[in-house]
């Protein structure tokens, strides 16, 4: 399913399933966003996290998301990648929102909110009753977005172990959920 959504400034945002032609731009967006959010004292840890995530997930998106009963989506403005997100099955009737990023040059235009609503719609179409996600204390805008869109805080933790989902190192992570069906 492809969808064109008009943003408040009149620009046409195209949301579509991931295609290999966007492998390079998706990789670059992932690296850029993570490097920008990395505090200087955690730069090395972020570089390890980025390398691991590229190897385990980003450089093999079709296989990774297929293996997990999910999908990966990209958003473009005039053919340029400006956003992305993945959906991963984590439990019966529950999908996890992953890798929702908006290019720094395209932020503050409503793209993240548009992608979130689209992710919820795709989750419902896939039969999910719940959409869950996690984010870190380093992503204050994301925390506000999720809270403002009806996501309930389910758990807060200090992530010690590194994985392709977190850098670890004692970064505070927030786990949210939203019921998609009444």
């Amino acid at each position: 399913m492809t969808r064109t959504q008009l943003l408040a400034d009149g620009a046409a945002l195209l949301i579509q399933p991931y295609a290999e032609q966007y492998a390079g731009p998706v990789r670059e967006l992932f690296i850029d966003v993570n490097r920008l959010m990395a505090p200087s004292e955690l730069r090395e840890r972020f570089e390890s996290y980025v390398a691991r995530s590229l190897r385990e997930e980003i450089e093999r998106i079709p296989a990774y998301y297929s293996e997990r009963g999910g999908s990966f989506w990209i958003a473009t403005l005039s053919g340029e990648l400006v956003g992305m997100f993945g959906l991963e099955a984590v439990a019966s009737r529950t999908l996890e929102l992953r890798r929702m990023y908006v290019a720094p040059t395209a932020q503050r235009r409503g793209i993240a909110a548009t992608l979130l609503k689209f992710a919820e719609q795709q989750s419902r179409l896939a039969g999910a009753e719940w959409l869950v996600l996690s984010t870190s204390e380093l992503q204050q805008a994301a925390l506000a977005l999720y809270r403002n869109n009806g996501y309930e805080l389910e758990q807060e933790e200090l992530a010690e172990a590194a994985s392709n989902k977190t850098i670890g190192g004692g970064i505070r992570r927030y786990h949210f959920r939203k019921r998609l069906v009444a």
Side-chain angles (χ1 to χ4, degrees):
M1 172 184 187
T2 300
R3 177 178 179 184
T4 301
Q5 178 73 39
L6 287 180
L7 300 176
D9 61 9
L13 182 72
L14 179 64
I15 305 171
Q16 60 191 341
Y18 172 83
E20 283 297 325
Q21 74 191 60
Y22 288 100
V26 163
R27 184 180 197 282
E28 290 172 26
L29 177 58
F30 174 75
I31 292 168
D32 290 348
V33 169
N34 277 282
R35 284 184 175 159
L36 284 172
M37 91 171 77
S40 59
E41 70 274 10
L42 296 175
R43 192 142 336 267
E44 284 184 42
R45 189 177 297 271
F46 262 86
E47 289 300 320
S48 294
Y49 165 73
V50 166
R52 179 180 187 163
S53 297
L54 289 171
R55 184 178 60 254
E56 293 179 9
E57 181 180 350
I58 301 299
E59 293 177 346
R60 53 184 298 274
I61 285 173
Y64 181 90
Y65 284 90
S66 176
E67 291 163 2
R68 288 158 178 79
S71 58
F72 198 87
W73 299 83
I74 61 157
T76 58
L77 283 173
S78 303
E80 180 183 340
L81 181 76
V82 294
M84 63 189 197
F85 71 88
L87 294 170
E88 181 178 325
V90 292
S92 176
R93 298 180 51 93
T94 303
L95 292 177
E96 180 179 9
L97 179 67
R98 303 280 324 286
R99 304 295 182 207
M100 193 170 90
Y101 295 119
V102 174
T105 58
Q107 291 177 358
R108 318 279 318 144
R109 296 179 68 184
I111 294 171
T114 301
L115 291 178
L116 184 60
K117 293 298 179 197
F118 186 84
E120 291 172 359
Q121 177 188 30
Q122 290 306 304
S123 298
R124 283 185 199 95
L125 290 172
E129 182 177 345
W130 293 94
L131 185 58
V132 298
L133 58 92
S134 66
T135 192
S136 79
E137 63 187 311
L138 302 175
Q139 297 167 290
Q140 291 297 312
L143 286 166
L145 174 71
Y146 301 136
R147 287 182 173 125
N148 291 337
N149 280 278
Y151 284 79
E152 300 171 1
L153 182 62
E154 190 173 43
Q155 178 187 353
E156 186 177 319
E157 68 174 338
L158 286 179
E160 297 298 338
S163 72
N164 71 316
K165 294 187 179 188
T166 180
I167 68 159
I171 295 292
R172 186 166 304 282
R173 293 204 57 81
Y174 300 91
H175 298 266
F176 290 91
R177 70 181 185 159
K178 182 176 182 177
R179 187 176 178 101
L180 300 174
V181 293

